[in-house]
Amino acid sequence: MQLPSYYLPRPPLDLDATTIDAFEALWMHISNFLEVEELPYSLSIPRWQFLCYLAEHKPVVLHGSGNPNLRELEPRQTNDVSEFGNRCAIYAASDGIWPLYFAILDREQYPMSLTNACFRVIMPSGARSEPYYFFSISQTALQHQPWHTGNVYILPSTSFEQQPPFASADAEIQVMQCASSEPVKPLAKLTVTPNDFPFLNQIRGHDESVQSQRASADPNGFPWIEDTA
């Protein structure tokens, strides 16, 4: 399946035994927390790689936020074009990079609309691609470089439902989004900075009114941009 060039593949994630041992030690640290605590991270390995490891190998999902004081997450009604993403729920990612985008955006100081995606391609053989991404915010906000230090909350995946895959051309698309209709207490949080987000320089800007018109005319035309090659 040939994807448009605006979809960004995940950077290489080639973890050696020493790195995995370090990640496992951090996971054991998390497992000993009685309440949500800041996870001390002193490794030279990028934080996004640790988060990807957790998302792929541990019973957790990840939630990015600018709020450093969340003790419990409550379901909230969202506004999304998809049925799965448009309900009263807590949303989280089964991916380690996607939540960084939400963590570093300063949406309080710079109001903005967001257009984003994270997905894998599932071939008829069952083989899955590495994740692909798309990130855009309002152009009026992008010009201010609206980044700040944020937090990725590590949540138990017990109550979360994975978004079902959908058919596309000769494959299926698995969006890396999960939802819980129940309140969830985080296991831990990890502080992240804009420099921890590997696609910081690939965040696009869009005109909100133009995008809204395109989405209304073609609800399935995500991401509603002109350069569709």
Side-chain angles (χ1 to χ4, degrees), residues 53-84:
Y53 180 81
L54 288 184
E56 293 182 16
H57 298 284
K58 303 301 177 184
V60 300
V61 291
L62 305 170
H63 177 88
S65 174
N67 185 344
N69 300 311
L70 296 178
R71 314 305 293 182
E72 183 175 72
L73 280 69
E74 298 281 350
R76 295 190 305 172
Q77 180 62 48
T78 56
N79 180 21
D80 193 86
V81 295
S82 73
E83 181 179 355
F84 185 87

Side-chain angles (χ1 to χ4, degrees), residues 24 33 55-56 64 99 135 137 140 157 191 193 227:
E24 286 292 332
F33 287 166
E56 293 182 16
F135 302 107
I137 63 176
T140 52
S157 60
T191 299
T193 70
D227 50 331

Side-chain angles (χ1 to χ4, degrees), residues 37 79 174 195:
E37 294 183 28
N79 180 21
Q174 176 65 72
N195 289 333

